[in-house]
Amino acid sequence: MASTSSLALSQALLTRTISQNGSENRVSVPAFSGLKATSPRTIATVRRSVSTSSHSLRPTLVCAAAVEAIETTTDSSLVDKSVNTIRFLAIDAVEKAKSGHPGLPMGCAPMSHILYDEFMRYNPKNPYWFNRDRFVLSAGHGCMLHYALLHLAGYDSVREEDLKSFRQWGSKTPGHPENFETPGVEVTTGPLGQGIANAVGLALAEKHLAARFNKPDNEIVDHYTYSILGDGCQMEGISNEVCSLAGHWGLGKLIAFYDDNHISIDGDTNIAFTESVDKRFEALGWHVIWVKNGNNGYDEIRAAIREAKAVKDKPTLIKVTTTIGYGSPNKANSYSVHGAALGEKEVEATRNNLRWPYEPFQVPEDVKSHWSRHTTEGAALEADWSAKFAAYEKKYPEEAAELISIISGELPAGWENALPTYTPESPGDATRNLSQQCLNALAKVMPGFLGGSADLASSNMTLLKAFGNFQKDTPKERNLRFGVREHGMGAICNGIALHSPGFIPYCATFFVFTDYMRAAMRISALSEAGVIYVMTHDSIGLGEDGPTHQPIEHLSSFRAMPNIMMFRPADGNETAGAYKIAVTKRKTPSVLALSRQNLPQLPGTSIESVEKGGYTVSNNSTGNKPDVILIGTGSELEIAAQAAEELRKEGKTVRVVSFVCWELFDEQSNAYKESVLPSDVSARVSIEAGSTFGWGKIVGGKGKSIGIDTFGASAPTGKLYKEFGITVEAMVDAANSLI
C-alpha cells in the first residue's frame, strides 16, 4: 500500500498541475496518480487489446515492471493507416483554420507514430505522471503533429473539437505548443532552437535525479527525453550551444530526431545551409544514426530508436530524411507546403493520392482501437511505478522525502529561515556577494536548488560551496558549468524548471549579457518557468570595463516584459527578500540585478518589506503628506537616503522609498499604494543608474527622474557617477526645484 506521504503527494501534485494549467483544462484524475498506488498489487502483465479487424495488432505480453520499450509488431497496413491519420488530422485542422504548417506533420508522421505508439512511456489520463518519457517538438510550428498524437493517444486535453478549433481564440490547440495551455505538451516551443535546448534541460534533470536517488535495487528515476528538430533549429546558434553541452555532459537518455527535409521558408536549404550536420554532431560528442527512408521505412526507424536506447553514455541524433508535405501531389518537397494551408483542391488531390476515403477529422475505427490501448497500458505503467515508489519510500525514507519535495514542489518547512539577515551595523558588501550567501543558504535546505553561470561563476559569485560540478561522471552535483553560452544556459534552465515543480534552477552572467539570452528569458515568462536569473554588474557602477559591459536600458526592458519580476536590491536584506519571493513564485521567473561595488547595509530595509515591491525606508513627515518623496533602487537608494538627510537639514519633510520591484508594487492594493505614494504629493524624484524610461508612471507628470539615457563610459565608478549626475547634489537640487 502506498504510504500516507505518497498519497498526500499524489493529491497535491494533481491539484497543483490542474491549477497551474487552468481550471478549464480537461485532466482526468485516475485512481492512482503522482505517487499514489491504490492497492498493493503489482501489475505483472498487460495483454494488449486485439481488434477483430484484418489489420489488428497481434497480441503481445508486456511486463510493466521494467519496460525498456513498449514495442509492438503491427501490420504494416495498419501503421500506414495510422500514419495517414496523423497526416490528415493535421491537413484538416490547418485547412479549417486557413492557417498553419502542414508540411512537417505530413513528413514526420512516420517517425512520430513509431515513437509515440511503440516506444514512449506515458499515461494519457495523467499527463503529469513523474516518470513519463518527455517529448519536445522543437520545430514547434508543426504543432498539429503533436496535437494529433495526443488526440490519438487518448489525452483529454486534445479532443476532436479541439482539433477543429486549431489556432482559434481560447482553444487548447494554439498555433505553437504551449505547456500552460495543453496538458501533454511539456514546454513552450516556436522560436526555433528553444525546444531542443529545453530538451537538454529535461534530460539533465533526469540524469541528475537518477544519480541522486536511484539505488541498485530500485531505479525509481528512469525516463527518456525525445525531441524532433528541423533545419531551422539546426541553423539557430542556440542549438549548437546546447547540443555541445549535451555531448559534454553525456546525456544518454536524450534522443533527438532531425527532420532532414532540406526545405525552409525561403526554399531549398542549399541556399544557406550546406554543412554536414552528421559530422558536426559527432564532433559534439553525439551518437549519430541516419534513417535514409523516413517516409515509410518503419523498420529503419524502429532499429534506429533501439540503437539509440542502447547507447548509454552519449546523446543520440537520429537524422531522418523525409519529404516535407509527403503525399501532396503538387506541393510536396517544396517551401509552399511549409507554412500555409494546402488549399481545397490540393487537399482533395492529397486524399486521392494517399487513397484516404475518410471525412475531415475522422479517425478510422481500427486506428482508434489500436491507439486506445495506451490508456490501459499507461495506467499500468504508472501503477507499477507507484508501487516501486512505495517500496522505495519504505526502505529509503530520507531520499524519498527529498524526491517528493522535487516532484511535488512542496517547499521544506521553515526554509525561509535559512536566509541571512543584516543590520545597519553589518559590514557593507556588493550585492553579488550577498547573493552568494543567499544561494548557499538556500542550497542547504532546498533539494531541488541548482544552477550555474556562463563562465563567470567567480565574478557572479554563484558557486555552491557544498557541492561539486555536474559533469558526465558526477551528475548528482549541483553546480552547472555552462561555459560562454548565455542563450543556451537560459533555455536549459527552462527545461529544468519545467521537468518537476520542485526544481528551482538559477543561472548567471553580467546583466548586460541578457542581450544574448533575452529570447530564453521571454520564454521563461511565457511558459511560467520560475528560473532565477542572477545578473551582476548591474550599472555603470562596474566601472572601467566601459559601455560594452554597462547596462542602460536593461532594467526598463525587463520591467516591460509580462510575467517576470525585475528586482534591484539595495543591500543584504533586500537581496534576501528578493530570493524569498523568487523561490515562492514558481510560475514567474525573477531577475536580480546585483552590484559589483560595495554598498552599505541601510537602516529601514527588511526582507519582509520586499514583498510589497515598493516601501518607505525613512520618513519624517506626518499626515501622509511629505514635502517631497525621493525614490531609489539598488545602489542609488543610498544616494536617495543621503539626499533626504540634506533636505531635512533644510527643514523639509522627506519620505524615502525603495522601489526594489515594480511588479510587486503593482500587485498591491490601491490603499497601500496611496500610503507609499500619496496622490496629493506631486513632488517626487527618482534616481537610478539606468534609463529613465518608464519612471514617469512612478514620479508623475510633475516629478523628475535622474538617470542615464546615453551609453556609459570607461572610468572609475566614482568618476562615472559624478559625470553622469547620479549624485546626492543632483537629487537635492531636483527636489528643491519641485517644492
Side-chain angles (χ1 to χ4, degrees):
M1 200 72 169
S3 70
T4 303
S5 62
S6 294
L7 207 65
L9 170 61
S10 167
Q11 296 164 348
L13 181 56
L14 274 164
T15 301
R16 176 200 173 279
T17 50
I18 293 171
S19 172
Q20 176 177 343
N21 288 277
S23 59
E24 295 302 312
N25 281 351
R26 298 181 294 267
V27 180
S28 297
V29 181
F32 43 82
S33 53
L35 298 177
K36 177 181 177 183
T38 55
S39 72
R41 64 177 182 169
T42 298
I43 306 300
T45 59
V46 179
R47 184 174 299 276
R48 299 186 185 278
S49 59
V50 183
S51 168
T52 57
S53 163
S54 60
H55 303 304
S56 65
L57 176 69
R58 293 203 290 271
T60 306
L61 292 180
V62 177
C63 176
V67 184
E68 269 299 303
I70 309 178
E71 296 190 48
T72 63
T73 304
T74 309
D75 188 291
S76 62
S77 62
L78 180 56
V79 176
D80 285 336
K81 187 180 284 189
S82 181
V83 167
N84 281 334
T85 300
I86 296 168
R87 288 183 174 126
F88 280 99
L89 287 175
I91 290 169
D92 295 338
V94 172
E95 193 64 27
K96 187 174 187 299
K98 303 302 180 187
S99 171
H101 301 76
L104 183 144
M106 295 168 72
C108 289
M111 71 175 92
S112 60
H113 164 81
I114 298 296
L115 177 64
Y116 249 85
D117 185 52
E118 299 182 16
F119 285 89
M120 279 185 62
R121 296 177 298 179
Y122 54 88
N123 181 2
K125 300 308 177 185
N126 180 14
Y128 307 105
W129 169 42
F130 166 72
N131 207 42
R132 69 192 181 276
D133 289 337
R134 271 73 169 173
F135 174 76
V136 176
L137 183 61
S138 188
H141 54 273
C143 56
M144 264 310 306
L145 173 72
H146 201 178
Y147 300 148
L149 292 166
L150 295 175
H151 177 63
L152 291 176
Y155 283 76
D156 294 326
S157 54
V158 184
R159 297 177 179 172
E160 183 177 330
E161 60 264 31
D162 299 302
L163 299 178
K164 291 179 177 178
S165 61
F166 176 53
R167 286 185 161 227
Q168 304 307 302
W169 178 265
S171 81
K172 297 300 176 189
T173 51
H176 288 83
E178 298 172 0
N179 63 294
F180 52 92
E181 288 288 356
T182 315
V185 171
E186 301 288 350
V187 299
T188 296
T189 63
L192 294 175
Q194 293 289 331
I196 184 62
N198 295 165
V200 171
L202 291 168
L204 181 154
E206 194 277 344
K207 183 173 177 119
H208 175 70
L209 292 178
R212 283 177 63 180
F213 297 108
N214 283 353
K215 303 295 182 181
D217 63 340
N218 196 326
E219 292 191 0
I220 199 65
V221 180
D222 178 21
H223 51 267
Y224 279 80
T225 301
Y226 299 96
S227 182
I228 292 178
L229 66 160
D231 289 304
C233 294
Q234 295 283 17
M235 293 184 217
E236 287 285 359
I238 186 176
S239 66
N240 198 67
E241 290 184 18
V242 301
C243 290
S244 173
L245 281 167
H248 171 74
W249 287 328
L251 301 180
K253 288 189 175 178
L254 172 62
I255 299 175
F257 297 81
Y258 165 33
D259 178 25
D260 175 40
N261 64 37
H262 295 279
I263 296 293
S264 62
I265 292 176
D266 280 352
D268 194 295
T269 55
N270 64 16
I271 63 175
F273 189 58
T274 55
E275 68 188 45
S276 171
V277 173
D278 313 53
K279 292 180 179 178
R280 175 161 61 88
F281 271 76
E282 287 173 356
L284 293 175
W286 287 56
H287 181 64
V288 178
I289 307 168
W290 183 14
V291 173
K292 297 180 180 179
N293 178 11
N295 295 328
N296 47 39
Y298 305 135
D299 287 338
E300 280 188 71
I301 296 169
R302 292 184 182 106
I305 298 173
R306 293 189 194 105
E307 180 181 336
K309 296 187 74 171
V311 176
K312 306 295 186 182
D313 62 340
K314 59 178 66 176
T316 296
L317 180 77
I318 303 176
K319 185 176 84 166
V320 187
T321 298
T322 65
T323 301
I324 190 172
Y326 181 88
S328 171
N330 303 302
K331 294 187 176 183
N333 199 35
S334 73
Y335 67 89
S336 60
V337 76
H338 170 87
L342 294 179
E344 185 176 340
K345 291 183 178 179
E346 189 64 15
V347 169
E348 187 61 28
T350 304
R351 275 185 152 77
N352 293 333
N353 186 41
L354 293 177
R355 298 179 176 85
W356 193 251
Y358 302 97
E359 294 297 315
F361 299 101
Q362 183 179 352
V363 177
E365 286 302 317
D366 50 351
V367 172
K368 188 180 298 183
S369 175
H370 173 73
W371 278 84
S372 66
R373 75 191 193 286
H374 287 290
T375 296
T376 302
E377 290 175 358
L381 286 168
E382 184 176 341
D384 178 62
W385 183 85
S386 296
K388 283 181 66 175
F389 185 84
Y392 182 93
E393 186 178 30
K394 184 176 181 180
K395 190 171 183 180
Y396 308 105
E398 291 184 8
E399 292 92 333
E402 283 199 357
L403 184 55
I404 286 172
S405 175
I406 293 171
I407 293 174
S408 68
E410 299 262 341
L411 299 176
W415 67 269
E416 65 276 12
N417 296 327
L419 289 167
T421 58
Y422 305 87
T423 68
E425 291 71 41
S426 301
D429 208 343
T431 51
R432 63 171 175 165
N433 294 331
L434 300 167
S435 165
Q436 185 177 43
Q437 296 173 22
C438 293
L439 289 172
N440 279 273
L442 290 170
K444 292 177 181 178
V445 296
M446 296 281 190
F449 199 78
L450 78 171
S453 168
D455 199 49
L456 288 169
S458 60
S459 192
N460 299 142
M461 310 305 292
T462 50
L463 279 178
L464 301 179
K465 298 176 182 179
F467 300 95
N469 296 328
F470 177 97
Q471 296 289 357
K472 181 176 182 178
D473 297 325
T474 54
K476 67 169 57 176
E477 302 296 346
R478 296 204 226 168
N479 285 302
L480 306 180
R481 300 289 194 169
F482 292 103
V484 189
R485 301 181 182 94
E486 293 89 355
H487 194 184
M489 172 178 69
I492 287 172
C493 284
N494 286 341
I496 297 171
L498 294 172
H499 181 279
S500 293
F503 268 127
I504 305 176
Y506 67 88
C507 60
T509 186
F510 291 170
F511 192 27
V512 75
F513 296 144
T514 55
D515 290 345
Y516 283 118
M517 59 191 299
R518 185 179 177 84
M521 297 174 77
R522 187 177 189 274
I523 292 294
S524 291
L526 177 61
S527 61
E528 300 177 348
V531 177
I532 301 176
Y533 292 95
V534 182
M535 300 292 125
T536 69
H537 298 61
D538 69 336
S539 72
I540 60 169
L542 64 88
E544 292 85 349
D545 275 343
T548 60
H549 284 51
Q550 294 165 351
I552 298 295
E553 74 282 10
H554 298 70
L555 289 165
S556 298
S557 72
F558 286 108
R559 288 169 180 157
M561 185 180 287
N563 193 42
I564 195 166
M565 290 182 294
M566 181 68 248
F567 291 96
R568 191 162 183 251
D571 64 2
N573 284 329
E574 287 200 343
T575 302
Y579 273 108
K580 181 181 177 182
I581 299 297
V583 165
T584 56
K585 293 267 192 177
R586 290 292 77 227
K587 293 170 66 176
T588 301
S590 299
V591 183
L592 277 68
L594 304 166
S595 75
R596 177 180 183 270
Q597 72 272 33
N598 287 350
L599 302 175
Q601 309 294 349
L602 298 171
T605 63
S606 71
I607 292 176
E608 295 72 26
S609 296
V610 173
E611 298 177 9
K612 300 294 188 181
Y615 65 98
T616 299
V617 174
S618 68
N619 181 32
N620 70 329
S621 67
T622 58
N624 200 29
K625 197 166 184 180
D627 294 327
V628 64
I629 301 173
L630 305 184
I631 309 166
T633 74
S635 48
E636 290 72 67
L637 185 60
E638 176 193 8
I639 294 176
Q642 291 174 349
E645 290 304 310
E646 294 301 317
L647 290 166
R648 288 166 185 158
K649 291 176 184 177
E650 300 173 4
K652 309 295 195 304
T653 58
V654 184
R655 176 176 296 170
V656 178
V657 172
S658 171
F659 243 68
V660 60
C661 180
W662 293 22
E663 295 77 22
L664 289 175
F665 187 76
D666 287 343
E667 294 176 2
Q668 305 310 310
S669 67
N670 289 334
Y672 177 78
K673 294 176 185 177
E674 181 69 16
S675 73
V676 177
L677 298 177
S679 53
D680 288 343
V681 180
S682 61
R684 304 177 185 179
V685 182
S686 68
I687 188 165
E688 184 173 69
S691 171
T692 60
F693 185 81
W695 275 103
K697 80 170 190 176
I698 308 299
V699 301
K702 296 182 180 179
K704 289 190 174 182
S705 295
I706 299 171
I708 306 171
D709 291 314
T710 65
F711 290 116
S714 178
T717 301
K719 180 66 172 176
L720 289 169
Y721 269 72
K722 181 178 179 180
E723 292 297 330
F724 283 104
I726 312 297
T727 64
V728 172
E729 293 77 15
M731 200 166 203
V732 169
D733 290 345
N736 281 325
S737 73
L738 298 175
I739 298 173

